[in-house]
Amino acid sequence: MLAESLGALVEPLGSHADPIGELADLVAGGDVVILSGAGLSTESGIPDYRGPSGLARRAEPMTYQTFTGGAAARRRYWARSHHGWRHVAGAVPNAGHRAVAELQRRGLLAGIITQNVDGLHQAGGGQRVIELHGSLHRVVCLGCGQLTSRAALDQRLRAANPGWAATVTQLSPDGDAVLADREADRFGVVDCQRCGGMLKPDVVFFGENVPRSRVEECYALTGRARALVVLGSSLAVMSGYRFVRHAAKLAIPIVIINQGPTRGDALARLILDAPLGQTLTDLGQTLTDLAAPSTHGQTAPSRAAGLRRRAAGLRSGDDQQRA
């Protein structure tokens, strides 16, 4: 396994007396890539896939094969998603999203890769976000490829289903919801207004491949990073975990902030098992404090340069150990 083969290449975690301080040292060097997962949005009221225990909350997510395989499956999906979309559309960015946007505003990030489909990075001020798994805010026609807004589809579905209501027992981070089949079977589905083709949310279902160009863009971004910071992801699926493996192979420091264990823990330089919102807010404050003029007369620019050298030294030290 990669974790075993790279065991000698990853600095042991040991005891970190000041994990936020060490994280700040790495981030202050700039060129950080963020890889975010569902755990970043839980404080916005959107559930994650596994939670702190690491156990899956839902055993049967919608697959591409099931969705395209029959009208009944699509009807049930759109009925569930019709309810789930209302919850996602009403969610607002939390402190974690805003803190990431602030890091980007300060020029410390090389980019943001998100596995989430909720659009909350952008709503929180994030820019140039690579949506690895797409976005629930868009709908694609599998016939002609036309992209339309989910808000417009929501209006069409409401018009096609006047008075329809159902009891939701569970929500999922992918905008799906759990409700009885008998309620879903009464739901009316609409098709593409241009060609009459099958409509699908512009997200990557289980069993569907992420577009190759998007994957290559993420690999290239990760390869240019000074550090990779994973936020709120168990890394249980290869879709996001491959970029952690890629960073480890290139001796790029990896930080994981998540509640609960992750698949990438053995490859990480630093692990923080903590709530994302407060941790990222603390990080922002620590960076502000570090950049401020010190009582010893060191100016903010010179101290920031020193932090960049220290962050570079952390990486070069790893490189020497791994040579």
Side-chain angles (χ1 to χ4, degrees), residues 67 74-89 136 139 150 153-154 157 164 168 171 174-179 184 187 200-201 203 205:
F67 183 86
R74 287 193 295 279
R75 179 180 298 108
R76 287 193 291 272
Y77 172 80
W78 281 118
R80 299 195 307 264
S81 183
H82 188 55
H83 267 289
W85 162 249
R86 300 175 192 177
H87 188 73
V88 171
L136 283 173
V139 178
R150 182 60 184 269
L153 176 63
D154 184 64
L157 289 174
W164 181 85
V168 175
L171 293 169
D174 55 6
D176 205 348
V178 177
L179 50 85
F187 192 77
K200 171 185 170 294
V203 300
F205 281 154

Side-chain angles (χ1 to χ4, degrees), residues 262-312:
T262 83
R263 189 180 182 184
D265 286 353
L267 303 179
R269 176 190 185 87
L270 178 65
I271 299 171
L272 287 81
D273 190 331
L276 274 294
Q278 187 60 57
T279 301
L280 293 172
T281 299
D282 290 345
L283 169 63
Q285 184 58 56
T286 301
L287 288 167
T288 297
D289 294 343
L290 289 173
S294 74
T295 58
H296 301 289
Q298 189 178 31
T299 63
S302 65
R303 193 166 188 199
L307 286 170
R308 285 192 292 272
R309 288 193 297 272
R310 182 175 173 187

Side-chain angles (χ1 to χ4, degrees), residues 11-13 15-28 253-255 269-272 283 286 290 310-311 314 318:
E11 180 180 331
L13 288 175
S15 175
H16 295 273
D18 182 16
I20 295 295
E22 182 169 348
L23 174 61
D25 285 343
L26 284 170
V27 173
I254 298 163
V255 176
R269 176 190 185 87
L270 178 65
I271 299 171
L272 287 81
L283 169 63
T286 301
L290 289 173
R310 182 175 173 187
L314 287 172
D318 289 344

Side-chain angles (χ1 to χ4, degrees), residues 154-169:
D154 184 64
Q155 292 179 350
R156 293 182 61 202
L157 289 174
R158 287 176 184 269
N161 295 276
W164 181 85
T167 301
V168 175
T169 59

Side-chain angles (χ1 to χ4, degrees), residues 188-296:
V189 176
V190 298
D191 296 319
C192 176
Q193 291 180 304
R194 173 191 282 180
C195 73
M198 184 189 309
L199 294 178
K200 171 185 170 294
D202 189 27
V203 300
V204 178
F205 281 154
F206 284 86
E208 186 178 9
N209 292 324
V210 177
R212 192 65 204 171
S213 60
R214 196 179 302 165
V215 173
E216 293 300 331
E217 183 181 10
C218 292
Y219 271 128
L221 181 62
T222 302
R224 297 192 300 269
R226 284 180 178 268
L228 176 67
V229 178
V230 179
L231 302 177
S233 176
S234 66
L235 302 171
V237 296
M238 184 58 72
S239 183
Y241 179 55
R242 57 185 151 187
F243 305 119
V244 175
R245 288 165 54 103
H246 186 59
K249 288 179 180 177
L250 296 175
I252 295 170
I254 298 163
V255 176
I256 298 177
I257 310 174
N258 187 62
Q259 291 191 276
T262 83
R263 189 180 182 184
D265 286 353
L267 303 179
R269 176 190 185 87
L270 178 65
I271 299 171
L272 287 81
D273 190 331
L276 274 294
Q278 187 60 57
T279 301
L280 293 172
T281 299
D282 290 345
L283 169 63
Q285 184 58 56
T286 301
L287 288 167
T288 297
D289 294 343
L290 289 173
S294 74
T295 58
H296 301 289

